Amino acid sequence: MAALTISIFVLTMQFFWLYIDDLVGKGLDTFIILKLVGLVSISMLTTAIPLALLFSSIMTFGNLGESFELVAIKSAGIPLVRFMRPLFIFAIFLAGIAFLLANNIIPVSQMRLTTLKYEIIVSKPAIDLKEGVFYDKIDGYVIKLGKKEANDSVINDIVIFEKRFGLQDNMIMAKSGVMRVTPDKKFLEFILYNGWRYQEKGYRATTNTEFTRLNFKEYKKVFDLKSFQMNKTVDVIYDPKMLSVRQLGKAIDSIQSMDSFFIKKASIEIYPYLKFMLYKDSAKLFKEIPSSPIKNFDAIIPKDERYNIVESVGYQFSSLQNNLASLVTIYKDQQHAETMHAIEWHRKFTLSFACIVLFLIGAPLGAIIRKGGLGAPMVSAIAFFVVFFLLNNFGEKLAKSEQWSVYAGMWLSSLFLIPVGLFLTYKAMRDSQLFNQEFYYRFLQ
């Protein structure tokens, strides 16, 4: 229990080290902070249990080896593997507990944690707006702040792009301003000082547009926070981390079943621009068509119609290209969504299975080290957990980028560490001097 508490504390502090600058001095009350700490701690349970099991197994077997109890057990004719059997069964039990937590408790805590973070962002928008970073979480706008003062309300060097999806984006630039949320938390207000507003009006298909440049000493811009405002009673954010194994399986099946829908959508989007497909004759489609002696385009098209035809064809191909690009984007998003759901599905099992893998490393490693306390066991546990953590993240990154399959990426750490655990168990059964300094010193002598 002490090892689990230490593991949760360390992993929770890691979260707050990343966000400490965004949380300190923002006027958050004690209840919100305690709630945030509790949700983060619960979310870290599936990672903390394998680390705690690794640390406690190394320390337990190290204490037994240091007090020569392992020697007494072996001298009684009990092999190390037989002595490890009850603890191995307990590790399997903990793996089951970790899976139940990952499948039933962690999704709910992730949902509550995400909701709480968005509520904090809505009440304190300066937490999410970073200096020198383009912020696009508000629909239709991109905001960039050059600098924020200590109180996070006074801002400087503001640039606001209003996305029009037609002509060039409208833009507002200001030297300084004040940022605040309305009392009903529905709108974000920017009171801007000493700046310019650039705006272009007109149709996209013509060059006859009107460009306006407006200088102002004070300008008020209001943003609707409806796009990411949270309802405290209903959690509306969707994330694969918030789903159980059964829900993830259904979501993956639904995404895979969209392939037929995607094919129909592609036909509907593309066929209108391929007008010759409307006149195809299936009976003559595969018959040999004699080549026409006329090979010159100018010979069959009247001169006064050429420009209109070329322009019409250009528009047709431009529209076809845009539709194809849109379909490709939709298809890639669909594939990425399937990958993310599959990653979360495998994560439920890999973190649970890590309890067994790290126990197979920790128990024989403690028997070989034969040191108790918090010194050598702690260093060894941290070293192997760092290896596990790096391999797990490395494999996940490769899976997300689709360079590796999801299976290979998510199970990389387990496949790498299982042989290490079996090797350490083999060495521990034969009283190996693998970590004995005196053995290497005598060897060198």
Side-chain angles (χ1 to χ4, degrees):
M1 192 64 185
L4 181 61
T5 304
I6 294 173
S7 302
I8 293 176
F9 176 78
V10 172
L11 294 174
T12 303
M13 287 300 101
Q14 180 188 13
F15 173 84
F16 282 98
W17 287 335
L18 294 174
Y19 296 98
I20 189 67
D21 293 335
D22 297 330
L23 298 176
V24 173
K26 300 300 187 294
L28 301 178
D29 55 39
T30 305
F31 175 75
I32 294 295
I33 295 176
L34 292 177
K35 185 178 179 181
L36 186 63
V37 171
L39 291 174
V40 172
S41 301
I42 295 174
S43 301
M44 296 296 177
L45 273 175
T46 51
T47 308
I49 291 177
L51 175 59
L53 189 58
L54 173 65
F55 175 55
S56 59
S57 60
I58 293 177
M59 190 164 55
T60 300
F61 279 82
N63 287 328
L64 293 175
E66 189 176 18
S67 60
F68 298 101
E69 294 184 29
L70 286 179
V71 177
I73 292 172
K74 291 180 181 179
S75 64
I78 302 176
L80 180 63
V81 175
R82 181 181 172 186
F83 178 71
M84 288 172 52
R85 188 185 304 164
L87 297 177
F88 182 73
I89 295 174
F90 180 71
I92 296 176
F93 172 75
L94 284 182
I97 295 296
F99 175 76
L100 292 177
L101 289 173
N103 191 47
N104 300 299
I105 305 300
I106 303 302
V108 178
S109 66
Q110 285 287 346
M111 183 182 300
R112 301 297 182 185
L113 180 60
T114 305
T115 303
L116 181 61
K117 287 195 294 185
Y118 271 85
E119 288 177 359
I120 293 174
I121 291 171
V122 169
S123 61
K124 301 289 181 180
I127 293 178
D128 213 29
L129 286 166
K130 313 291 184 182
E131 293 182 354
V133 178
F134 288 95
Y135 181 80
D136 58 354
K137 299 294 180 62
I138 301 178
D139 289 342
Y141 297 94
V142 177
I143 304 173
K144 179 178 177 292
L145 304 182
K147 185 179 180 182
K148 294 190 299 183
E149 300 297 337
N151 59 1
D152 282 331
S153 295
V154 179
I155 51 180
N156 299 287
D157 299 328
I158 306 103
V159 180
I160 302 174
F161 295 95
E162 182 182 349
K163 294 183 287 187
R164 296 286 303 277
F165 303 103
L167 297 170
Q168 68 179 26
D169 298 338
N170 296 337
M171 183 171 61
I172 301 175
M173 302 178 64
K175 291 290 184 182
S176 61
V178 177
M179 176 176 55
R180 63 193 178 196
V181 177
T182 57
D184 57 4
K185 297 182 180 180
K186 293 183 178 180
F187 300 96
L188 175 64
E189 293 182 347
F190 274 52
I191 310 298
L192 306 175
Y193 303 102
N194 300 323
W196 293 86
R197 174 178 173 84
Y198 302 92
Q199 186 176 4
E200 186 174 1
K201 296 181 179 180
Y203 295 102
R204 183 177 183 179
T206 180
T207 58
N208 187 18
T209 60
E210 177 183 350
F211 180 76
T212 304
R213 185 177 67 171
L214 174 66
N215 176 255
F216 59 84
K217 292 185 178 180
E218 181 178 339
Y219 185 87
K220 182 178 180 180
K221 183 65 178 178
V222 179
F223 302 95
D224 190 358
L225 296 180
K226 187 186 301 182
S227 59
F228 67 109
Q229 191 172 10
M230 291 294 96
N231 186 344
K232 295 184 179 181
T233 58
V234 180
D235 299 297
V236 296
I237 300 179
Y238 177 78
D239 193 328
K241 294 181 180 180
M242 304 173 186
L243 303 179
S244 63
V245 170
R246 185 172 61 179
Q247 292 170 335
L248 286 169
K250 290 182 178 180
I252 293 173
D253 291 339
S254 299
I255 295 174
Q256 292 176 346
S257 64
M258 289 184 64
D259 289 343
S260 57
F261 168 77
F262 184 81
I263 294 174
K264 294 180 181 179
K265 181 177 177 61
S267 301
I268 295 173
E269 293 288 339
I270 294 175
Y271 264 54
Y273 298 100
L274 304 178
K275 294 185 178 180
F276 60 87
M277 296 294 291
L278 302 176
Y279 303 101
K280 67 180 180 179
D281 188 352
S282 59
K284 299 180 179 180
L285 188 61
F286 298 101
K287 290 185 178 180
E288 184 178 354
I289 301 176
S291 58
S292 174
I294 302 177
K295 298 182 179 180
N296 190 355
F297 178 75
D298 295 336
I300 58 177
I301 303 297
K303 186 175 181 180
D304 56 345
E305 296 291 337
R306 291 174 192 170
Y307 177 79
N308 294 332
I309 292 175
V310 170
E311 186 179 17
S312 176
V313 170
Y315 281 128
Q316 291 287 333
F317 274 104
S318 178
S319 301
L320 180 61
Q321 184 179 8
N322 293 334
N323 284 358
L324 287 174
S326 176
L327 290 173
V328 169
T329 301
I330 295 173
Y331 183 76
K332 288 182 177 179
D333 291 342
Q334 175 184 337
Q335 295 299 314
H336 181 70
E338 182 181 352
T339 301
M340 296 302 296
H341 283 76
I343 286 174
E344 294 303 325
W345 189 90
H346 283 276
R347 194 195 307 276
K348 310 289 186 185
F349 296 94
T350 54
L351 290 179
S352 304
F353 188 71
C355 297
I356 301 174
V357 175
L358 294 181
F359 173 79
L360 289 176
I361 292 176
L365 186 62
I368 296 174
I369 293 175
R370 299 176 185 174
K371 295 289 184 181
L374 298 175
M378 176 68 79
V379 175
S380 303
I382 291 175
F384 275 96
F385 184 77
V386 167
V387 173
F388 167 77
F389 184 80
L390 291 178
L391 288 175
N392 198 30
N393 282 272
F394 181 69
E396 184 177 341
K397 294 291 184 183
L398 290 175
K400 286 182 178 179
S401 61
E402 298 182 358
Q403 299 181 36
W404 284 12
S405 66
V406 177
Y407 297 93
M410 295 305 295
W411 291 94
L412 174 65
S413 57
S414 299
L415 294 176
F416 180 82
L417 291 177
I418 284 177
V420 176
L422 296 177
F423 173 76
L424 292 175
T425 304
Y426 173 80
K427 287 294 184 180
M429 291 175 61
R430 285 157 178 77
D431 296 326
S432 172
Q433 303 293 321
L434 192 62
F435 294 97
N436 191 347
Q437 298 179 1
E438 295 181 1
F439 169 76
Y440 294 103
Y441 177 76
R442 289 195 302 268
F443 176 77
L444 292 175
Q445 290 295 321

